[in-house]
């Protein structure tokens, strides 16, 4: 099956300079979309339009949206990809109010705020697709490793579902993509740090960590490009009847059906 066309669509990929975001930006551009990427730091090389913004900052987020409006007249596809695990493990007693706020700002509020600013134009044009990049952690928190991150992604899942329902008759689709372990810089660093502190190899570290979630049945991490293929399908008109759903892309690691 050939995917239906996204040629000429304007796509914003937040955090589109590295990892999963970069793979999504590259794939959408390859498919003919006009791609804008944003991040805090300008990359040395990017094939896409770049606008700097820290999306945990309300003012910088508003400026990003204004620059897009001025240069492109709005967008058709929004990939809310910014996020990550930034707080320490160790469970509830190690996490301060500041840790919780930091994780919520990065993984939840940044997307809610950007959606709110960009949605009026999508609603006006009666079309648009929003993808929230969540995580399998949003359905399976590991208390000793990623508690605040997992809770912020669970909230993102819930918000995304409600937003999809609100917008379903306005021509705007909203979907959630939840990767499992994916080979990006922070994931590789996390594994290396874990292995070093446990005095084991990164491969053994990966096995130990995955054992806590029941393992990855496919026996490997995802590549960022594999997540990008799924996102490409979801934003294309081939997925016109999909909204409000969560897609895990995890090599089978989530142990539950729902
Ligand atoms: N990798 C995994 O195993 C995995 C698994 C499940 C879910 N995810 C999710 O997938 C998404 C991408 O993860 P990744 O591993 O690809 O991360 P990554 O390689 O670290 O890339 C993160 C991107 O976001 C940008 N960014 C970070 N903080 C930002 C901020 N405050 N404002 C604006 N841009 C910011 C970074 O650029 P600058 O640093 O220059 O700002 C970079 O472009 C995240 O939402 C993460 O939670 C990842």
């Amino acid at each position: 099956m050939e995917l239906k066309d996204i040629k000429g669509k304007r796509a914003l990929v937040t955090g589109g300079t590295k990892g999963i975001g970069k793979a999504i930006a590259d794939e959408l551009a390859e498919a003919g979309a006009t791609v804008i990427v944003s991040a805090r730091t300008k990359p040395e090389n990017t094939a896409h339009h770049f606008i700097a913004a820290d999306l945990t900052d309300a003012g910088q987020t508003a400026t990003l949206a204004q620059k897009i409006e001025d240069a492109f007249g709005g967008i058709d596809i929004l990939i809310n990809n910014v996020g990550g695990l930034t707080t320490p493990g160790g469970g509830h007693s190690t996490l301060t109010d500041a840790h919780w706020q930091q994780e919520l700002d990065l993984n939840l509020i940044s997307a809610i705020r950007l959606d709110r600013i960009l949605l009026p134009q999508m609603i006006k044009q009666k079309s648009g697709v929003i993808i929230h990049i969540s995580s399998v952690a949003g359905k399976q928190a590991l208390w000793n490793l990623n508690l605040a991150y997992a809770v912020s992604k669970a909230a993102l899942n819930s918000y995304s579902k409600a937003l999809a329902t609100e917008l379903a008759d306005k021509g705007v689709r909203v979907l959630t993509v939840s990767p499992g372990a994916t080979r990006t810089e922070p994931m590789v660093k996390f594994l290396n740090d874990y292995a070093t502190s446990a005095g084991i190899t990164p491969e053994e570290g990966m096995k130990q960590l995955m054992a806590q979630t029941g393992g990855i049945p496919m026996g490997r991490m995802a590549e960022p490009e594999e997540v990008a293929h799924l996102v490409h399908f979801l934003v294309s008109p081939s997925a016109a009847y999909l909204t409000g759903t969560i897609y895990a892309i995890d090599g089978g690691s989530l142990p539950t059906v729902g």
Side-chain angles (χ1 to χ4, degrees):
M1 181 200 73
E2 283 265 316
L3 287 189
K4 287 192 184 157
D5 222 348
I6 58 165
K7 279 199 185 76
K9 298 287 182 195
R10 301 156 298 177
L12 169 61
V13 184
T14 71
T17 59
K18 296 178 201 161
I20 292 170
K22 179 178 184 304
I24 295 170
D26 290 348
E27 173 140 352
L28 299 188
E30 176 90 359
T34 298
V35 176
I36 306 140
V37 294
S38 74
R40 291 166 302 182
T41 321
K42 190 177 186 351
E44 279 180 19
N45 292 306
T46 178
H48 315 298
H49 302 277
F50 174 79
I51 302 174
D54 182 340
L55 294 187
T56 61
D57 181 287
Q60 292 189 37
T61 307
T63 304
L64 166 69
Q66 190 58 54
K67 284 182 178 168
I68 290 171
E69 176 64 32
D70 294 347
F72 303 95
I75 53 161
D76 307 294
I77 296 168
L78 170 57
I79 314 293
N80 279 296
N81 165 73
V82 158
L85 170 61
T86 62
T87 48
H92 80 280
S93 60
T94 59
L95 294 169
T96 62
D97 284 2
H99 287 135
W100 280 97
Q101 194 61 56
Q102 179 180 312
E103 218 65 286
L104 289 166
D105 283 346
L106 183 64
N107 290 290
L108 177 67
I109 309 295
S110 66
I112 292 175
R113 185 188 288 124
L114 188 59
D115 290 351
R116 193 173 58 230
I117 297 175
L118 293 175
L119 264 168
Q121 170 256 321
M122 284 188 176
I123 292 170
K124 196 169 164 206
Q125 71 186 14
K126 297 191 175 66
S127 73
V129 189
I130 296 178
I131 305 286
H132 295 115
I133 302 295
S134 182
S135 165
V136 289
K139 284 198 174 177
Q140 192 186 20
L142 300 174
W143 69 265
N144 54 341
L145 287 178
N146 63 13
L147 182 57
Y149 170 74
V151 169
S152 67
K153 292 294 196 183
L156 182 66
N157 293 352
S158 195
Y159 157 74
S160 187
K161 173 66 180 164
L163 187 69
T165 309
E166 182 183 350
L167 299 173
D169 65 354
K170 295 183 171 55
V172 181
R173 300 189 293 113
V174 184
L175 295 153
T176 305
V177 169
S178 292
T182 306
R183 193 183 307 281
T184 65
E185 258 175 55
M187 178 46 88
V188 170
K189 181 176 182 314
F190 179 75
L191 283 176
N192 286 343
D193 291 352
Y194 178 84
T196 306
S197 67
I200 53 179
T201 66
E203 290 71 30
E204 286 165 339
M206 178 74 185
K207 279 192 189 137
Q208 269 191 22
L209 277 170
M210 288 306 126
Q212 296 186 42
T213 65
I216 303 177
M218 289 184 111
R220 65 170 178 87
M221 285 194 260
E223 299 300 329
E225 292 73 20
E226 292 175 307
V227 181
H229 297 333
L230 172 61
V231 170
H232 180 186
F233 166 68
L234 292 175
V235 302
S236 79
S238 299
Y241 196 55
L242 298 180
T243 198
T245 29
I246 301 181
Y247 297 88
I249 172 160
D250 66 349
S253 68
L254 271 178
T256 54
V257 274

